Amino acid sequence: NLVLLVQSGNTVGAWLEFNIQSIGPSIKKRSLTDITGLTFEEWTEREGLFAEEGENGDLASLGHFELLDAFFQAIQDGNHTRARACLNPNALLTALTVNRQMHQLYNPDFGGENALSESIVEAKPTSYKVMDYDTGLEIKDIGDRTTLNIVVDLYMKSLNPVFNTQDGRETRFAVLTKHANGWKIGGFGTGP
């Protein structure tokens, strides 16, 4: 269960198949965190990866609720590139590596139902609340927090009809993280 990444006859990367989510680039089972001392998000931040968003650079100046609005508007407009620009590096990595087919290094369709930006067909938010994960109480002033848990009430349709309610009204839980290039969505699920 070893993946070798070969370019021009040279092995340029190797990792154990079961360790793909952690991007463990070592046959000796050392993960990225073992090698760099940083999580994937910390490493991408340090390296400046995903910092340049091109035509979506305006997202960096948005507040947390505004970013969610921009994400849902991009979905409504069918603009998957802009919707992906709202996701944090870990959410992008997950979309590329989760439930991929055998003998593939990544999901060539960017994960389809696995990607937050691809799996939602329609979404219209009706309200947002920042919640304290531990107490379940609403937070009015986020202060200098770098991670937010936001309860989102919305009308939504997704590719996976199992999760759709009959009238489309849903409550979802978004996790936002603050990066050098603004707030980004790290998760969007059915529970806190």
PDB file of all heavy atoms in Angstrom, residues 10-38:
ATOM      1  N   ASN A  10      12.514   9.760 -11.811  1.00  0.00           N
ATOM      2  CA  ASN A  10      12.963   9.951 -10.430  1.00  0.00           C
ATOM      3  C   ASN A  10      11.780   9.911  -9.476  1.00  0.00           C
ATOM      4  O   ASN A  10      10.730  10.475  -9.766  1.00  0.00           O
ATOM      5  CB  ASN A  10      13.659  11.313 -10.276  1.00  0.00           C
ATOM      6  CG  ASN A  10      14.914  11.404 -11.108  1.00  0.00           C
ATOM      7  OD1 ASN A  10      15.705  10.483 -11.154  1.00  0.00           O
ATOM      8  ND2 ASN A  10      15.083  12.532 -11.782  1.00  0.00           N
ATOM      9  N   THR A  11      11.967   9.253  -8.345  1.00  0.00           N
ATOM     10  CA  THR A  11      10.933   9.249  -7.315  1.00  0.00           C
ATOM     11  C   THR A  11      10.997  10.586  -6.590  1.00  0.00           C
ATOM     12  O   THR A  11      12.007  10.926  -5.973  1.00  0.00           O
ATOM     13  CB  THR A  11      11.142   8.083  -6.322  1.00  0.00           C
ATOM     14  OG1 THR A  11      11.104   6.863  -7.056  1.00  0.00           O
ATOM     15  CG2 THR A  11      10.061   8.084  -5.253  1.00  0.00           C
ATOM     16  N   VAL A  12       9.915  11.364  -6.698  1.00  0.00           N
ATOM     17  CA  VAL A  12       9.889  12.688  -6.078  1.00  0.00           C
ATOM     18  C   VAL A  12       8.988  12.729  -4.854  1.00  0.00           C
ATOM     19  O   VAL A  12       8.916  13.737  -4.161  1.00  0.00           O
ATOM     20  CB  VAL A  12       9.448  13.770  -7.103  1.00  0.00           C
ATOM     21  CG1 VAL A  12      10.482  13.899  -8.201  1.00  0.00           C
ATOM     22  CG2 VAL A  12       8.078  13.470  -7.678  1.00  0.00           C
ATOM     23  N   GLY A  13       8.285  11.646  -4.582  1.00  0.00           N
ATOM     24  CA  GLY A  13       7.439  11.579  -3.403  1.00  0.00           C
ATOM     25  C   GLY A  13       7.029  10.145  -3.131  1.00  0.00           C
ATOM     26  O   GLY A  13       6.952   9.327  -4.051  1.00  0.00           O
ATOM     27  N   ALA A  14       6.808   9.837  -1.875  1.00  0.00           N
ATOM     28  CA  ALA A  14       6.362   8.495  -1.498  1.00  0.00           C
ATOM     29  C   ALA A  14       5.611   8.590  -0.188  1.00  0.00           C
ATOM     30  O   ALA A  14       5.998   9.344   0.698  1.00  0.00           O
ATOM     31  CB  ALA A  14       7.564   7.554  -1.346  1.00  0.00           C
ATOM     32  N   TRP A  15       4.502   7.878  -0.096  1.00  0.00           N
ATOM     33  CA  TRP A  15       3.766   7.844   1.156  1.00  0.00           C
ATOM     34  C   TRP A  15       2.956   6.575   1.240  1.00  0.00           C
ATOM     35  O   TRP A  15       2.696   5.906   0.245  1.00  0.00           O
ATOM     36  CB  TRP A  15       2.877   9.072   1.335  1.00  0.00           C
ATOM     37  CG  TRP A  15       1.883   9.313   0.243  1.00  0.00           C
ATOM     38  CD1 TRP A  15       0.627   8.802   0.149  1.00  0.00           C
ATOM     39  CD2 TRP A  15       2.062  10.131  -0.906  1.00  0.00           C
ATOM     40  NE1 TRP A  15       0.003   9.243  -0.984  1.00  0.00           N
ATOM     41  CE2 TRP A  15       0.872  10.070  -1.653  1.00  0.00           C
ATOM     42  CE3 TRP A  15       3.112  10.912  -1.385  1.00  0.00           C
ATOM     43  CZ2 TRP A  15       0.699  10.750  -2.846  1.00  0.00           C
ATOM     44  CZ3 TRP A  15       2.929  11.592  -2.571  1.00  0.00           C
ATOM     45  CH2 TRP A  15       1.740  11.512  -3.281  1.00  0.00           C
ATOM     46  N   LEU A  16       2.572   6.234   2.454  1.00  0.00           N
ATOM     47  CA  LEU A  16       1.761   5.045   2.667  1.00  0.00           C
ATOM     48  C   LEU A  16       0.320   5.362   2.305  1.00  0.00           C
ATOM     49  O   LEU A  16      -0.197   6.430   2.635  1.00  0.00           O
ATOM     50  CB  LEU A  16       1.873   4.587   4.121  1.00  0.00           C
ATOM     51  CG  LEU A  16       3.276   4.135   4.533  1.00  0.00           C
ATOM     52  CD1 LEU A  16       3.321   3.872   6.024  1.00  0.00           C
ATOM     53  CD2 LEU A  16       3.694   2.898   3.756  1.00  0.00           C
ATOM     54  N   GLU A  17      -0.311   4.445   1.621  1.00  0.00           N
ATOM     55  CA  GLU A  17      -1.660   4.643   1.094  1.00  0.00           C
ATOM     56  C   GLU A  17      -2.643   5.081   2.169  1.00  0.00           C
ATOM     57  O   GLU A  17      -3.406   6.007   1.968  1.00  0.00           O
ATOM     58  CB  GLU A  17      -2.145   3.337   0.451  1.00  0.00           C
ATOM     59  CG  GLU A  17      -3.548   3.343  -0.050  1.00  0.00           C
ATOM     60  CD  GLU A  17      -3.714   4.134  -1.337  1.00  0.00           C
ATOM     61  OE1 GLU A  17      -2.707   4.446  -1.971  1.00  0.00           O
ATOM     62  OE2 GLU A  17      -4.863   4.429  -1.676  1.00  0.00           O
ATOM     63  N   PHE A  18      -2.621   4.447   3.340  1.00  0.00           N
ATOM     64  CA  PHE A  18      -3.603   4.769   4.370  1.00  0.00           C
ATOM     65  C   PHE A  18      -3.367   6.133   4.994  1.00  0.00           C
ATOM     66  O   PHE A  18      -4.219   6.657   5.691  1.00  0.00           O
ATOM     67  CB  PHE A  18      -3.627   3.690   5.465  1.00  0.00           C
ATOM     68  CG  PHE A  18      -2.364   3.628   6.288  1.00  0.00           C
ATOM     69  CD1 PHE A  18      -2.192   4.455   7.387  1.00  0.00           C
ATOM     70  CD2 PHE A  18      -1.350   2.742   5.968  1.00  0.00           C
ATOM     71  CE1 PHE A  18      -1.033   4.401   8.144  1.00  0.00           C
ATOM     72  CE2 PHE A  18      -0.190   2.689   6.715  1.00  0.00           C
ATOM     73  CZ  PHE A  18      -0.034   3.516   7.797  1.00  0.00           C
ATOM     74  N   ASN A  19      -2.246   6.741   4.737  1.00  0.00           N
ATOM     75  CA  ASN A  19      -1.883   8.003   5.374  1.00  0.00           C
ATOM     76  C   ASN A  19      -2.079   9.203   4.453  1.00  0.00           C
ATOM     77  O   ASN A  19      -1.557  10.265   4.701  1.00  0.00           O
ATOM     78  CB  ASN A  19      -0.424   7.927   5.837  1.00  0.00           C
ATOM     79  CG  ASN A  19      -0.122   8.918   6.935  1.00  0.00           C
ATOM     80  OD1 ASN A  19      -1.032   9.345   7.626  1.00  0.00           O
ATOM     81  ND2 ASN A  19       1.126   9.282   7.070  1.00  0.00           N
ATOM     82  N   ILE A  20      -2.868   9.038   3.389  1.00  0.00           N
ATOM     83  CA  ILE A  20      -3.000  10.087   2.384  1.00  0.00           C
ATOM     84  C   ILE A  20      -3.561  11.382   2.968  1.00  0.00           C
ATOM     85  O   ILE A  20      -3.129  12.461   2.613  1.00  0.00           O
ATOM     86  CB  ILE A  20      -3.850   9.608   1.185  1.00  0.00           C
ATOM     87  CG1 ILE A  20      -3.847  10.647   0.060  1.00  0.00           C
ATOM     88  CG2 ILE A  20      -5.273   9.322   1.583  1.00  0.00           C
ATOM     89  CD1 ILE A  20      -2.665  10.549  -0.819  1.00  0.00           C
ATOM     90  N   GLN A  21      -4.523  11.308   3.881  1.00  0.00           N
ATOM     91  CA  GLN A  21      -5.128  12.528   4.409  1.00  0.00           C
ATOM     92  C   GLN A  21      -4.110  13.388   5.139  1.00  0.00           C
ATOM     93  O   GLN A  21      -4.179  14.598   5.097  1.00  0.00           O
ATOM     94  CB  GLN A  21      -6.299  12.181   5.343  1.00  0.00           C
ATOM     95  CG  GLN A  21      -6.997  13.375   5.933  1.00  0.00           C
ATOM     96  CD  GLN A  21      -7.600  14.309   4.908  1.00  0.00           C
ATOM     97  OE1 GLN A  21      -7.994  13.879   3.839  1.00  0.00           O
ATOM     98  NE2 GLN A  21      -7.665  15.574   5.224  1.00  0.00           N
ATOM     99  N   SER A  22      -3.155  12.776   5.795  1.00  0.00           N
ATOM    100  CA  SER A  22      -2.139  13.537   6.511  1.00  0.00           C
ATOM    101  C   SER A  22      -0.967  13.909   5.619  1.00  0.00           C
ATOM    102  O   SER A  22      -0.029  14.544   6.064  1.00  0.00           O
ATOM    103  CB  SER A  22      -1.623  12.727   7.704  1.00  0.00           C
ATOM    104  OG  SER A  22      -2.676  12.458   8.594  1.00  0.00           O
ATOM    105  N   ILE A  23      -1.014  13.482   4.360  1.00  0.00           N
ATOM    106  CA  ILE A  23       0.073  13.702   3.423  1.00  0.00           C
ATOM    107  C   ILE A  23       1.399  13.317   4.084  1.00  0.00           C
ATOM    108  O   ILE A  23       2.301  14.120   4.235  1.00  0.00           O
ATOM    109  CB  ILE A  23       0.119  15.155   2.893  1.00  0.00           C
ATOM    110  CG1 ILE A  23      -1.209  15.529   2.270  1.00  0.00           C
ATOM    111  CG2 ILE A  23       1.221  15.326   1.854  1.00  0.00           C
ATOM    112  CD1 ILE A  23      -1.597  14.776   1.024  1.00  0.00           C
ATOM    113  N   GLY A  24       1.466  12.077   4.510  1.00  0.00           N
ATOM    114  CA  GLY A  24       2.697  11.581   5.102  1.00  0.00           C
ATOM    115  C   GLY A  24       3.681  11.253   3.998  1.00  0.00           C
ATOM    116  O   GLY A  24       3.603  10.196   3.398  1.00  0.00           O
ATOM    117  N   PRO A  25       4.610  12.164   3.686  1.00  0.00           N
ATOM    118  CA  PRO A  25       5.487  11.959   2.545  1.00  0.00           C
ATOM    119  C   PRO A  25       6.666  11.051   2.853  1.00  0.00           C
ATOM    120  O   PRO A  25       7.690  11.140   2.224  1.00  0.00           O
ATOM    121  CB  PRO A  25       5.963  13.378   2.229  1.00  0.00           C
ATOM    122  CG  PRO A  25       5.960  14.051   3.546  1.00  0.00           C
ATOM    123  CD  PRO A  25       4.834  13.443   4.326  1.00  0.00           C
ATOM    124  N   SER A  26       6.529  10.175   3.823  1.00  0.00           N
ATOM    125  CA  SER A  26       7.652   9.362   4.251  1.00  0.00           C
ATOM    126  C   SER A  26       7.271   7.893   4.318  1.00  0.00           C
ATOM    127  O   SER A  26       6.249   7.529   4.886  1.00  0.00           O
ATOM    128  CB  SER A  26       8.113   9.828   5.638  1.00  0.00           C
ATOM    129  OG  SER A  26       9.017   8.909   6.193  1.00  0.00           O
ATOM    130  N   ILE A  27       8.116   7.060   3.742  1.00  0.00           N
ATOM    131  CA  ILE A  27       7.895   5.614   3.823  1.00  0.00           C
ATOM    132  C   ILE A  27       8.058   5.145   5.269  1.00  0.00           C
ATOM    133  O   ILE A  27       7.530   4.133   5.670  1.00  0.00           O
ATOM    134  CB  ILE A  27       8.866   4.870   2.877  1.00  0.00           C
ATOM    135  CG1 ILE A  27       8.542   5.263   1.441  1.00  0.00           C
ATOM    136  CG2 ILE A  27       8.783   3.365   3.055  1.00  0.00           C
ATOM    137  CD1 ILE A  27       9.512   4.756   0.415  1.00  0.00           C
ATOM    138  N   LYS A  28       8.761   5.926   6.083  1.00  0.00           N
ATOM    139  CA  LYS A  28       8.984   5.580   7.482  1.00  0.00           C
ATOM    140  C   LYS A  28       7.816   6.010   8.372  1.00  0.00           C
ATOM    141  O   LYS A  28       7.971   6.145   9.578  1.00  0.00           O
ATOM    142  CB  LYS A  28      10.284   6.216   7.982  1.00  0.00           C
ATOM    143  CG  LYS A  28      11.514   5.693   7.261  1.00  0.00           C
ATOM    144  CD  LYS A  28      12.755   6.364   7.763  1.00  0.00           C
ATOM    145  CE  LYS A  28      13.976   5.836   7.020  1.00  0.00           C
ATOM    146  NZ  LYS A  28      15.200   6.504   7.427  1.00  0.00           N
ATOM    147  N   LYS A  29       6.655   6.248   7.766  1.00  0.00           N
ATOM    148  CA  LYS A  29       5.417   6.586   8.478  1.00  0.00           C
ATOM    149  C   LYS A  29       5.466   7.943   9.170  1.00  0.00           C
ATOM    150  O   LYS A  29       4.697   8.206  10.062  1.00  0.00           O
ATOM    151  CB  LYS A  29       5.038   5.504   9.499  1.00  0.00           C
ATOM    152  CG  LYS A  29       4.790   4.150   8.908  1.00  0.00           C
ATOM    153  CD  LYS A  29       4.358   3.177   9.986  1.00  0.00           C
ATOM    154  CE  LYS A  29       4.179   1.790   9.411  1.00  0.00           C
ATOM    155  NZ  LYS A  29       3.754   0.832  10.405  1.00  0.00           N
ATOM    156  N   ARG A  30       6.359   8.797   8.763  1.00  0.00           N
ATOM    157  CA  ARG A  30       6.418  10.128   9.344  1.00  0.00           C
ATOM    158  C   ARG A  30       5.452  11.022   8.587  1.00  0.00           C
ATOM    159  O   ARG A  30       5.508  11.138   7.374  1.00  0.00           O
ATOM    160  CB  ARG A  30       7.840  10.668   9.292  1.00  0.00           C
ATOM    161  CG  ARG A  30       8.792   9.848  10.177  1.00  0.00           C
ATOM    162  CD  ARG A  30      10.222  10.327  10.088  1.00  0.00           C
ATOM    163  NE  ARG A  30      10.309  11.680  10.622  1.00  0.00           N
ATOM    164  CZ  ARG A  30      11.167  12.585  10.161  1.00  0.00           C
ATOM    165  NH1 ARG A  30      11.988  12.301   9.186  1.00  0.00           N
ATOM    166  NH2 ARG A  30      11.195  13.787  10.698  1.00  0.00           N
ATOM    167  N   SER A  31       4.583  11.672   9.320  1.00  0.00           N
ATOM    168  CA  SER A  31       3.600  12.562   8.698  1.00  0.00           C
ATOM    169  C   SER A  31       4.225  13.936   8.458  1.00  0.00           C
ATOM    170  O   SER A  31       5.339  14.213   8.899  1.00  0.00           O
ATOM    171  CB  SER A  31       2.383  12.713   9.611  1.00  0.00           C
ATOM    172  OG  SER A  31       2.742  13.444  10.769  1.00  0.00           O
ATOM    173  N   LEU A  32       3.493  14.789   7.793  1.00  0.00           N
ATOM    174  CA  LEU A  32       3.948  16.155   7.566  1.00  0.00           C
ATOM    175  C   LEU A  32       4.226  16.850   8.903  1.00  0.00           C
ATOM    176  O   LEU A  32       5.217  17.567   9.047  1.00  0.00           O
ATOM    177  CB  LEU A  32       2.897  16.937   6.773  1.00  0.00           C
ATOM    178  CG  LEU A  32       3.267  18.357   6.401  1.00  0.00           C
ATOM    179  CD1 LEU A  32       4.328  18.367   5.312  1.00  0.00           C
ATOM    180  CD2 LEU A  32       2.049  19.128   5.954  1.00  0.00           C
ATOM    181  N   THR A  33       3.366  16.620   9.882  1.00  0.00           N
ATOM    182  CA  THR A  33       3.566  17.228  11.206  1.00  0.00           C
ATOM    183  C   THR A  33       4.842  16.701  11.861  1.00  0.00           C
ATOM    184  O   THR A  33       5.581  17.464  12.483  1.00  0.00           O
ATOM    185  CB  THR A  33       2.342  16.965  12.103  1.00  0.00           C
ATOM    186  OG1 THR A  33       1.189  17.494  11.449  1.00  0.00           O
ATOM    187  CG2 THR A  33       2.489  17.624  13.461  1.00  0.00           C
ATOM    188  N   ASP A  34       5.107  15.390  11.710  1.00  0.00           N
ATOM    189  CA  ASP A  34       6.344  14.826  12.259  1.00  0.00           C
ATOM    190  C   ASP A  34       7.578  15.479  11.636  1.00  0.00           C
ATOM    191  O   ASP A  34       8.565  15.754  12.310  1.00  0.00           O
ATOM    192  CB  ASP A  34       6.425  13.317  12.002  1.00  0.00           C
ATOM    193  CG  ASP A  34       5.376  12.521  12.745  1.00  0.00           C
ATOM    194  OD1 ASP A  34       4.910  12.987  13.801  1.00  0.00           O
ATOM    195  OD2 ASP A  34       5.005  11.440  12.248  1.00  0.00           O
ATOM    196  N   ILE A  35       7.509  15.729  10.349  1.00  0.00           N
ATOM    197  CA  ILE A  35       8.660  16.258   9.616  1.00  0.00           C
ATOM    198  C   ILE A  35       8.840  17.752   9.831  1.00  0.00           C
ATOM    199  O   ILE A  35       9.951  18.228  10.057  1.00  0.00           O
ATOM    200  CB  ILE A  35       8.523  15.935   8.112  1.00  0.00           C
ATOM    201  CG1 ILE A  35       8.602  14.410   7.906  1.00  0.00           C
ATOM    202  CG2 ILE A  35       9.594  16.644   7.285  1.00  0.00           C
ATOM    203  CD1 ILE A  35       8.198  13.960   6.533  1.00  0.00           C
ATOM    204  N   THR A  36       7.744  18.515   9.785  1.00  0.00           N
ATOM    205  CA  THR A  36       7.844  19.978   9.845  1.00  0.00           C
ATOM    206  C   THR A  36       7.543  20.563  11.216  1.00  0.00           C
ATOM    207  O   THR A  36       7.871  21.712  11.483  1.00  0.00           O
ATOM    208  CB  THR A  36       6.874  20.630   8.840  1.00  0.00           C
ATOM    209  OG1 THR A  36       5.527  20.337   9.248  1.00  0.00           O
ATOM    210  CG2 THR A  36       7.130  20.156   7.427  1.00  0.00           C
ATOM    211  N   GLY A  37       6.868  19.791  12.075  1.00  0.00           N
ATOM    212  CA  GLY A  37       6.438  20.320  13.369  1.00  0.00           C
ATOM    213  C   GLY A  37       5.201  21.195  13.245  1.00  0.00           C
ATOM    214  O   GLY A  37       4.811  21.870  14.199  1.00  0.00           O
ATOM    215  N   LEU A  38       4.578  21.197  12.068  1.00  0.00           N
ATOM    216  CA  LEU A  38       3.409  22.043  11.809  1.00  0.00           C
ATOM    217  C   LEU A  38       2.254  21.205  11.273  1.00  0.00           C
ATOM    218  O   LEU A  38       2.480  20.198  10.610  1.00  0.00           O
ATOM    219  CB  LEU A  38       3.762  23.108  10.760  1.00  0.00           C
ATOM    220  CG  LEU A  38       4.941  24.026  11.061  1.00  0.00           C
ATOM    221  CD1 LEU A  38       5.305  24.827   9.817  1.00  0.00           C
ATOM    222  CD2 LEU A  38       4.608  24.952  12.212  1.00  0.00           C
TER     223      LEU A  38
END
